[in-house]
Short mmCIF file of all heavy atoms in Angstrom, two decimals:
data_model
loop_
_atom_site.label_atom_id
_atom_site.label_comp_id
_atom_site.label_asym_id
_atom_site.label_seq_id
_atom_site.Cartn_x
_atom_site.Cartn_y
_atom_site.Cartn_z
N TYR A 109 62.83 114.56 -15.92
CA TYR A 109 62.63 115.91 -15.41
C TYR A 109 61.52 115.93 -14.35
O TYR A 109 61.62 116.61 -13.32
CB TYR A 109 62.30 116.90 -16.52
CG TYR A 109 63.48 117.23 -17.41
CD1 TYR A 109 63.31 117.54 -18.76
CD2 TYR A 109 64.78 117.24 -16.89
CE1 TYR A 109 64.39 117.86 -19.58
CE2 TYR A 109 65.87 117.55 -17.70
CZ TYR A 109 65.66 117.85 -19.04
OH TYR A 109 66.74 118.16 -19.84
N LEU A 110 60.43 115.20 -14.64
CA LEU A 110 59.32 115.14 -13.69
C LEU A 110 59.74 114.49 -12.37
O LEU A 110 59.39 114.96 -11.28
CB LEU A 110 58.14 114.37 -14.30
CG LEU A 110 57.31 115.15 -15.34
CD1 LEU A 110 56.33 114.20 -16.02
CD2 LEU A 110 56.59 116.31 -14.70
N LEU A 111 60.49 113.40 -12.47
CA LEU A 111 60.97 112.73 -11.26
C LEU A 111 61.91 113.60 -10.45
O LEU A 111 61.86 113.64 -9.21
CB LEU A 111 61.66 111.40 -11.64
CG LEU A 111 60.76 110.29 -12.16
CD1 LEU A 111 61.61 109.10 -12.63
CD2 LEU A 111 59.80 109.84 -11.05
N ILE A 112 62.75 114.35 -11.17
CA ILE A 112 63.67 115.28 -10.49
C ILE A 112 62.87 116.36 -9.76
O ILE A 112 63.14 116.69 -8.60
CB ILE A 112 64.65 115.93 -11.49
CG1 ILE A 112 65.62 114.86 -12.02
CG2 ILE A 112 65.41 117.08 -10.84
CD1 ILE A 112 66.54 115.37 -13.12
N TYR A 113 61.84 116.89 -10.44
CA TYR A 113 61.00 117.92 -9.83
C TYR A 113 60.30 117.41 -8.59
O TYR A 113 60.29 118.05 -7.52
CB TYR A 113 59.98 118.42 -10.84
CG TYR A 113 58.80 119.14 -10.23
CD1 TYR A 113 58.96 120.42 -9.67
CD2 TYR A 113 57.55 118.55 -10.18
CE1 TYR A 113 57.89 121.08 -9.08
CE2 TYR A 113 56.46 119.21 -9.60
CZ TYR A 113 56.64 120.45 -9.05
OH TYR A 113 55.59 121.09 -8.48
N ILE A 114 59.68 116.22 -8.69
CA ILE A 114 58.96 115.65 -7.55
C ILE A 114 59.90 115.35 -6.40
O ILE A 114 59.61 115.66 -5.23
CB ILE A 114 58.21 114.36 -7.98
CG1 ILE A 114 57.07 114.70 -8.95
CG2 ILE A 114 57.67 113.62 -6.77
CD1 ILE A 114 56.38 113.50 -9.55
N ALA A 115 61.07 114.78 -6.73
CA ALA A 115 62.05 114.45 -5.68
C ALA A 115 62.57 115.69 -4.98
O ALA A 115 62.68 115.73 -3.73
CB ALA A 115 63.21 113.64 -6.28
N LEU A 116 62.91 116.71 -5.75
CA LEU A 116 63.44 117.94 -5.15
C LEU A 116 62.36 118.69 -4.35
O LEU A 116 62.65 119.22 -3.27
CB LEU A 116 63.99 118.85 -6.25
CG LEU A 116 65.32 118.45 -6.87
CD1 LEU A 116 65.68 119.37 -8.04
CD2 LEU A 116 66.44 118.50 -5.84
N SER A 117 61.15 118.74 -4.88
CA SER A 117 60.08 119.45 -4.21
C SER A 117 59.74 118.79 -2.88
O SER A 117 59.64 119.46 -1.84
CB SER A 117 58.85 119.50 -5.11
OG SER A 117 57.84 120.29 -4.53
N ALA A 118 59.55 117.47 -2.91
CA ALA A 118 59.25 116.74 -1.66
C ALA A 118 60.46 116.76 -0.74
O ALA A 118 60.32 116.98 0.49
CB ALA A 118 58.85 115.32 -1.98
N GLY A 119 61.65 116.54 -1.30
CA GLY A 119 62.86 116.51 -0.48
C GLY A 119 63.14 117.81 0.22
O GLY A 119 63.59 117.83 1.37
N GLN A 120 62.85 118.95 -0.46
CA GLN A 120 63.09 120.23 0.16
C GLN A 120 62.19 120.47 1.37
O GLN A 120 62.61 121.05 2.36
CB GLN A 120 62.89 121.36 -0.86
CG GLN A 120 63.25 122.75 -0.36
CD GLN A 120 64.73 122.88 -0.02
OE1 GLN A 120 65.56 122.29 -0.69
NE2 GLN A 120 65.03 123.62 1.01
N ILE A 121 60.95 119.99 1.29
CA ILE A 121 60.04 120.11 2.42
C ILE A 121 60.56 119.33 3.61
O ILE A 121 60.63 119.84 4.74
CB ILE A 121 58.65 119.60 2.03
CG1 ILE A 121 58.01 120.54 0.99
CG2 ILE A 121 57.74 119.50 3.25
CD1 ILE A 121 56.69 120.04 0.44
N PHE A 122 61.00 118.09 3.36
CA PHE A 122 61.54 117.27 4.44
C PHE A 122 62.86 117.86 5.00
O PHE A 122 63.11 117.84 6.21
CB PHE A 122 61.80 115.84 3.96
CG PHE A 122 60.55 115.12 3.53
CD1 PHE A 122 60.54 114.30 2.41
CD2 PHE A 122 59.38 115.26 4.24
CE1 PHE A 122 59.39 113.66 2.00
CE2 PHE A 122 58.20 114.60 3.85
CZ PHE A 122 58.22 113.80 2.74
N PHE A 123 63.67 118.38 4.09
CA PHE A 123 64.95 118.96 4.49
C PHE A 123 64.73 120.17 5.41
O PHE A 123 65.35 120.32 6.46
CB PHE A 123 65.73 119.39 3.23
CG PHE A 123 67.21 119.53 3.44
CD1 PHE A 123 68.05 119.72 2.34
CD2 PHE A 123 67.79 119.49 4.71
CE1 PHE A 123 69.43 119.86 2.51
CE2 PHE A 123 69.16 119.62 4.88
CZ PHE A 123 69.97 119.81 3.78
N ASN A 124 63.82 121.06 5.03
CA ASN A 124 63.54 122.22 5.86
C ASN A 124 62.99 121.83 7.21
O ASN A 124 63.35 122.41 8.23
CB ASN A 124 62.51 123.13 5.14
CG ASN A 124 63.13 123.93 4.01
OD1 ASN A 124 64.35 123.97 3.85
ND2 ASN A 124 62.30 124.52 3.17
N LYS A 125 62.08 120.86 7.23
CA LYS A 125 61.51 120.36 8.48
C LYS A 125 62.61 119.82 9.39
O LYS A 125 62.62 120.11 10.61
CB LYS A 125 60.48 119.27 8.18
CG LYS A 125 59.96 118.52 9.40
CD LYS A 125 59.07 119.39 10.27
CE LYS A 125 58.45 118.57 11.39
NZ LYS A 125 57.59 119.40 12.29
N TRP A 126 63.54 119.08 8.82
CA TRP A 126 64.63 118.50 9.60
C TRP A 126 65.54 119.58 10.15
O TRP A 126 65.93 119.55 11.32
CB TRP A 126 65.43 117.53 8.73
CG TRP A 126 66.60 116.92 9.44
CD1 TRP A 126 66.57 116.03 10.47
CD2 TRP A 126 67.99 117.15 9.16
NE1 TRP A 126 67.85 115.70 10.86
CE2 TRP A 126 68.73 116.38 10.06
CE3 TRP A 126 68.66 117.93 8.23
CZ2 TRP A 126 70.12 116.35 10.06
CZ3 TRP A 126 70.05 117.92 8.22
CH2 TRP A 126 70.76 117.14 9.13
N VAL A 127 65.91 120.55 9.33
CA VAL A 127 66.79 121.62 9.78
C VAL A 127 66.15 122.42 10.91
O VAL A 127 66.80 122.76 11.90
CB VAL A 127 67.15 122.56 8.59
CG1 VAL A 127 67.85 123.81 9.11
CG2 VAL A 127 68.04 121.83 7.60
N LEU A 128 64.85 122.73 10.78
CA LEU A 128 64.19 123.56 11.75
C LEU A 128 63.84 122.82 13.05
O LEU A 128 63.77 123.44 14.11
CB LEU A 128 62.90 124.16 11.15
CG LEU A 128 63.09 125.15 10.02
CD1 LEU A 128 61.78 125.43 9.31
CD2 LEU A 128 63.69 126.45 10.55
N SER A 129 63.62 121.51 12.97
CA SER A 129 63.13 120.76 14.12
C SER A 129 64.17 119.83 14.73
O SER A 129 63.98 119.38 15.87
CB SER A 129 61.90 119.94 13.72
OG SER A 129 60.88 120.76 13.18
N SER A 130 65.23 119.54 14.00
CA SER A 130 66.19 118.55 14.48
C SER A 130 67.02 119.10 15.64
O SER A 130 67.51 120.22 15.63
CB SER A 130 67.14 118.15 13.34
OG SER A 130 68.20 117.37 13.80
N LYS A 131 67.19 118.25 16.67
CA LYS A 131 68.04 118.62 17.82
C LYS A 131 69.52 118.63 17.41
O LYS A 131 70.33 119.33 18.04
CB LYS A 131 67.80 117.66 18.97
CG LYS A 131 66.40 117.77 19.57
CD LYS A 131 66.23 116.79 20.73
CE LYS A 131 64.82 116.91 21.33
NZ LYS A 131 64.64 115.96 22.45
N GLU A 132 69.87 117.83 16.42
CA GLU A 132 71.25 117.78 15.97
C GLU A 132 71.67 119.11 15.33
O GLU A 132 72.78 119.61 15.57
CB GLU A 132 71.47 116.65 14.97
CG GLU A 132 71.32 115.25 15.56
CD GLU A 132 69.86 114.79 15.61
OE1 GLU A 132 68.99 115.56 15.14
OE2 GLU A 132 69.61 113.70 16.12
N ILE A 133 70.80 119.68 14.52
CA ILE A 133 71.11 120.95 13.87
C ILE A 133 70.89 122.13 14.81
O ILE A 133 71.66 123.08 14.84
CB ILE A 133 70.26 121.12 12.60
CG1 ILE A 133 70.52 119.95 11.62
CG2 ILE A 133 70.58 122.45 11.90
CD1 ILE A 133 71.96 119.84 11.17
N ASN A 134 69.79 122.06 15.57
CA ASN A 134 69.46 123.10 16.58
C ASN A 134 69.40 124.48 15.94
O ASN A 134 70.09 125.41 16.30
CB ASN A 134 70.48 123.09 17.72
CG ASN A 134 70.04 123.99 18.88
OD1 ASN A 134 68.85 124.18 19.09
ND2 ASN A 134 71.02 124.53 19.62
N PHE A 135 68.51 124.60 14.94
CA PHE A 135 68.35 125.87 14.24
C PHE A 135 66.86 126.17 14.03
O PHE A 135 66.36 126.16 12.90
CB PHE A 135 69.08 125.82 12.90
CG PHE A 135 69.29 127.19 12.29
CD1 PHE A 135 70.32 128.00 12.70
CD2 PHE A 135 68.47 127.64 11.28
CE1 PHE A 135 70.52 129.26 12.14
CE2 PHE A 135 68.65 128.90 10.69
CZ PHE A 135 69.68 129.69 11.14
N PRO A 136 66.12 126.43 15.11
CA PRO A 136 64.68 126.68 15.01
C PRO A 136 64.37 128.15 14.61
O PRO A 136 63.61 128.85 15.28
CB PRO A 136 64.18 126.38 16.42
CG PRO A 136 65.31 126.79 17.29
CD PRO A 136 66.58 126.45 16.52
N TYR A 137 65.01 128.59 13.53
CA TYR A 137 64.87 129.98 13.11
C TYR A 137 64.41 130.03 11.65
O TYR A 137 65.23 130.16 10.72
CB TYR A 137 66.19 130.72 13.28
CG TYR A 137 66.72 130.66 14.69
CD1 TYR A 137 67.80 129.84 14.99
CD2 TYR A 137 66.12 131.40 15.69
CE1 TYR A 137 68.27 129.76 16.29
CE2 TYR A 137 66.59 131.34 16.99
CZ TYR A 137 67.67 130.51 17.29
OH TYR A 137 68.13 130.45 18.56
N PRO A 138 63.08 129.97 11.41
CA PRO A 138 62.57 129.94 10.03
C PRO A 138 62.89 131.20 9.25
O PRO A 138 63.15 131.15 8.05
CB PRO A 138 61.05 129.76 10.23
CG PRO A 138 60.79 130.18 11.63
CD PRO A 138 62.03 129.80 12.40
N LEU A 139 62.90 132.35 9.93
CA LEU A 139 63.25 133.59 9.24
C LEU A 139 64.67 133.55 8.77
O LEU A 139 64.98 133.92 7.63
CB LEU A 139 63.05 134.79 10.19
CG LEU A 139 61.86 135.71 9.97
CD1 LEU A 139 61.77 136.76 11.05
CD2 LEU A 139 61.92 136.36 8.61
N GLY A 140 65.57 133.12 9.65
CA GLY A 140 66.99 133.04 9.30
C GLY A 140 67.24 132.08 8.17
O GLY A 140 68.01 132.37 7.24
N LEU A 141 66.58 130.93 8.22
CA LEU A 141 66.76 129.91 7.16
C LEU A 141 66.27 130.44 5.82
O LEU A 141 66.94 130.30 4.79
CB LEU A 141 66.03 128.64 7.55
CG LEU A 141 66.17 127.47 6.55
CD1 LEU A 141 67.60 126.99 6.49
CD2 LEU A 141 65.23 126.32 6.93
N THR A 142 65.10 131.06 5.82
CA THR A 142 64.53 131.59 4.58
C THR A 142 65.40 132.73 4.04
O THR A 142 65.59 132.85 2.83
CB THR A 142 63.11 132.09 4.83
OG1 THR A 142 62.33 131.07 5.45
CG2 THR A 142 62.45 132.49 3.53
N LEU A 143 65.92 133.57 4.92
CA LEU A 143 66.81 134.66 4.51
C LEU A 143 68.06 134.12 3.84
O LEU A 143 68.51 134.64 2.80
CB LEU A 143 67.18 135.51 5.72
CG LEU A 143 68.20 136.66 5.47
CD1 LEU A 143 67.66 137.64 4.44
CD2 LEU A 143 68.50 137.38 6.79
N LEU A 144 68.61 133.05 4.40
CA LEU A 144 69.78 132.42 3.79
C LEU A 144 69.48 131.90 2.39
O LEU A 144 70.29 132.03 1.47
CB LEU A 144 70.29 131.28 4.68
CG LEU A 144 70.91 131.69 6.02
CD1 LEU A 144 71.14 130.48 6.90
CD2 LEU A 144 72.22 132.45 5.79
#
Side-chain angles (χ1 to χ4, degrees):
Y109 288 149
L110 284 171
L111 289 174
I112 291 175
Y113 161 71
I114 292 174
L116 286 173
S117 185
Q120 186 63 36
I121 292 174
F122 297 140
F123 201 170
N124 285 348
K125 171 70 173 178
W126 178 68
V127 170
L128 292 168
S129 304
S130 171
K131 294 181 180 179
E132 293 84 2
I133 301 299
N134 190 29
F135 195 80
Y137 304 106
L139 254 176
L141 182 65
T142 307
L143 176 60
L144 290 170

